[in-house]
Amino acid sequence: MPQLVRPRFAVLHGTHPAAPLPQRFRSLADREAVEVLHRAARVLVASLPALTDRLVEALYEQEPGYRAAIDADRSEVWQEVHHSLRHNVGSLLQPKEFRDAAHRTSRWIGEIRAGQGVPLDAVLHAFRMGGAMVWQDLVDETARRDPDDVRLLVHVAADVWNFVDEHCGIVADAYRQAERRLTWQRENRQRLVIAALLDGTARIADLSDAAAMLGLPEQGRYAVLAVASVRRGDPGPVRQSHPGPRQGPVRPPLNLPSALPGAAPEPQEPTGPPGPPGAAALPCAGPDARPGTSPLPGTPAAPLWHTGPDAEFAILRLTGEPGDPGELHAIAAALDAPAGTRAGIGSAVDGLAALGDARRLAETALRACPASGGTVVLDEHLPDALVVSSPALGSALAARVLGPLDRLDPADRDVILETLTAWLDADGSAQRAAARLYCHRNTVLNRLRRFEQLTGRCLTRPRDAVEVSLALAARRLLGT
């Protein structure tokens, strides 16, 4: 029997270009060709179970994307294929009666397969395999009844294949819409989980599920990085993926260091349905990884970002030895951020349950960061952290210790404060402080003596030296 138009399973495997919206195709076949088509289609309707069996078997053998679904529930796939064939073959006999039902079935299949993770190419291939099998059966049945009528099917071949392409377009459209919706739902669930972990409101019973969703070990070691956000209208680099003003805080471009295992460049803004800000930026267990997926075994997860009211937070998974201070320092030293960006890294904590504490420690480190920018590792700036943790007490200490200097001329006061800071930074060495200030050693000593006379403090007394150091930190960080 000659093969008309296409052999039985000679179908394309790639995505076939189709119009985004289905449209009706006007048949050019004459009445006689349509009657031949209808006679053959009625026979196919009567033998749909056998046709369904053959198509399911062909899918199992030729389409790997469907193999797992068939192994998991062959009867469910069989019912889906039978339902689709019944409506699509019925559309050849009664287009008006079956058209809407056939469209709904194709959309339903696209949505279901998107939810199951079957690749879109596999779904489209399955539809074209079905179209090829139906067409070949139409040809075979017509040849069996009257070989001379086979030539008439040529007149309706374009209509049949246009019908197949139309439904491929419907399936692809439904699949992509469902995929976008599912992706947004998955990312939104991840945002909520990350927010709960960082807020410290996650339930202990939910931690194992959260760990599985984020691809992180429940009992791993973590730290949190806080980055001051850039608000709309503020100077500094702001990345926008769409024109027009953007509301709320925007994360400045920030390249995570190679010192952080698994770190990747900042991801692009997500597309699709709008959701809470910041996510994806949420690289999600590495946005080279998809949200909610686990990294490959042995591959550390990249940071997970979350947008707060005034800062961006990143969960950092640590892989060094517990108690090793060098790991956080290496991350801070290798951070590549624009000038003026303020960042704080909190202390390491154990387990996802402690991420709320880690976030609060990172916020403290961020508050200890100078207004001019920089990166503060909390463990290396604990005195400053004490000051910013209690601004009222810090301000009171600064007023008590440094208040007498405010009676001086501002320029004179600033010189004494600058000298005092340089001397403390030089570990009490007047010689090194003088080198930093480009003045003589005796000048430094004279200024220090004047400070002691004005404030009644003795810089050689340990208690006074501690109070002076904390007071200077409060003045610098709190602006008192």
Side-chain angles (χ1 to χ4, degrees):
M1 176 64 218
Q3 302 292 309
L4 293 187
V5 183
R6 306 186 186 194
R8 182 177 294 269
F9 296 119
V11 291
L12 298 176
H13 286 258
T15 301
H16 192 280
L21 295 176
Q23 54 182 330
R24 294 180 181 272
F25 294 95
R26 187 176 181 180
S27 176
L28 300 177
D30 56 24
R31 183 183 301 273
E32 188 178 2
V34 171
E35 289 176 355
V36 170
L37 175 66
H38 284 181
R39 281 198 302 269
R42 291 188 191 98
V43 175
L44 262 63
V45 170
S47 60
L48 274 182
L51 178 59
T52 303
D53 288 339
R54 287 191 289 121
L55 182 51
V56 171
E57 190 61 34
L59 286 174
Y60 188 83
E61 293 176 357
Q62 301 180 34
E63 182 44 69
Y66 264 78
R67 200 164 293 154
I70 295 173
D71 282 335
D73 192 345
R74 191 181 190 92
S75 62
E76 187 269 339
V77 177
W78 193 96
Q79 290 293 339
E80 172 192 303
V81 172
H82 184 269
H83 200 61
S84 179
L85 288 174
R86 181 164 61 86
H87 285 96
N88 292 339
V89 176
S91 295
L92 300 178
L93 295 169
Q94 297 173 298
K96 293 182 179 180
E97 289 78 358
F98 281 90
R99 179 183 177 85
D100 290 341
H103 284 186
R104 286 194 300 270
T105 299
S106 295
R107 292 196 66 84
W108 173 75
I109 291 174
E111 292 171 356
I112 290 295
R113 292 305 171 206
Q116 294 174 342
V118 178
L120 177 58
D121 282 352
V123 181
L124 296 177
H125 183 208
F127 264 76
R128 294 194 179 97
M129 287 178 65
M133 186 174 288
V134 168
W135 172 250
Q136 191 62 50
D137 280 11
L138 291 172
V139 173
D140 291 346
E141 174 58 28
T142 301
R144 185 190 64 79
R145 179 185 293 270
D146 187 348
D148 291 339
D149 287 344
V150 172
R151 60 182 176 79
L152 294 173
L153 289 181
V154 175
H155 294 286
V156 295
D159 286 332
V160 172
W161 286 104
N162 282 339
F163 179 88
V164 173
D165 285 344
E166 176 187 10
H167 280 261
C168 284
I170 294 171
V171 168
D173 179 63
Y175 185 102
R176 294 187 182 103
Q177 288 185 19
E179 190 176 42
R180 287 193 295 268
R181 182 173 63 253
L182 291 169
T183 298
W184 181 82
Q185 290 173 350
R186 182 169 56 244
E187 291 178 350
N188 196 43
R189 285 196 300 271
Q190 187 185 31
R191 291 184 188 102
L192 295 175
V193 168
I194 294 174
L197 290 173
L198 291 174
D199 290 342
T201 58
R203 299 186 304 174
I204 297 297
D206 296 334
L207 289 180
S208 59
D209 291 338
M213 175 184 292
L214 302 178
L216 298 173
E218 184 177 348
Q219 299 302 328
R221 292 179 60 249
Y222 300 98
V224 171
L225 164 69
V227 181
S229 301
V230 179
R231 291 190 174 274
R232 178 169 52 87
D234 287 353
V238 177
R239 174 174 49 81
Q240 288 184 314
S241 60
H242 55 278
R246 175 172 174 170
Q247 302 295 330
V250 179
R251 185 192 325 148
L254 181 70
N255 293 325
L256 290 164
S258 58
L260 180 64
E266 184 182 3
Q268 298 299 316
E269 290 280 348
T271 58
L282 281 171
C284 337
D288 286 341
R290 293 288 300 275
T293 60
S294 298
L296 296 174
T299 303
L304 293 159
W305 287 94
H306 175 71
T307 298
D310 301 308
E312 297 276 351
F313 299 95
I315 300 174
L316 310 178
R317 179 183 171 188
L318 306 179
T319 58
E321 292 296 325
D324 177 15
E327 186 171 13
L328 294 178
H329 178 75
I331 294 173
L335 279 174
D336 180 15
T341 300
R342 299 170 56 245
I345 302 177
S347 303
V349 299
D350 294 321
L352 293 178
L355 281 177
D357 294 335
R359 190 217 70 197
R360 287 185 282 275
L361 293 172
E363 287 179 321
T364 300
L366 184 61
R367 290 197 297 272
C369 187
S372 58
T375 301
V376 168
V377 178
L378 183 65
D379 292 347
E380 299 174 1
H381 295 79
L382 292 177
D384 291 351
L386 287 174
V387 170
V388 298
S389 294
S390 182
L393 291 178
S395 298
L397 178 63
R400 179 179 177 181
V401 175
L402 304 178
L405 300 181
D406 291 334
R407 294 193 293 268
L408 299 175
D409 181 78
D412 198 13
R413 177 198 62 201
D414 291 344
V415 167
I416 293 179
L417 289 176
E418 182 184 21
T419 302
L420 186 58
T421 300
W423 180 76
L424 289 172
D425 290 342
D427 299 325
S429 169
Q431 188 70 39
R432 293 203 300 271
R436 292 186 182 186
L437 298 173
Y438 301 101
C439 64
H440 195 274
R441 173 179 178 274
N442 289 341
T443 302
V444 172
L445 293 175
N446 289 336
R447 292 172 183 173
L448 295 179
R449 278 195 292 270
R450 188 181 181 196
F451 169 80
E452 291 179 327
Q453 293 168 357
L454 290 170
T455 62
R457 305 282 167 172
C458 178
L459 293 175
T460 59
R461 186 184 302 138
R463 180 187 179 92
D464 286 356
V466 170
E467 289 186 351
V468 169
S469 177
L470 292 176
L472 288 172
R475 192 180 190 92
R476 171 172 49 87
L477 296 172
L478 302 177
T480 57

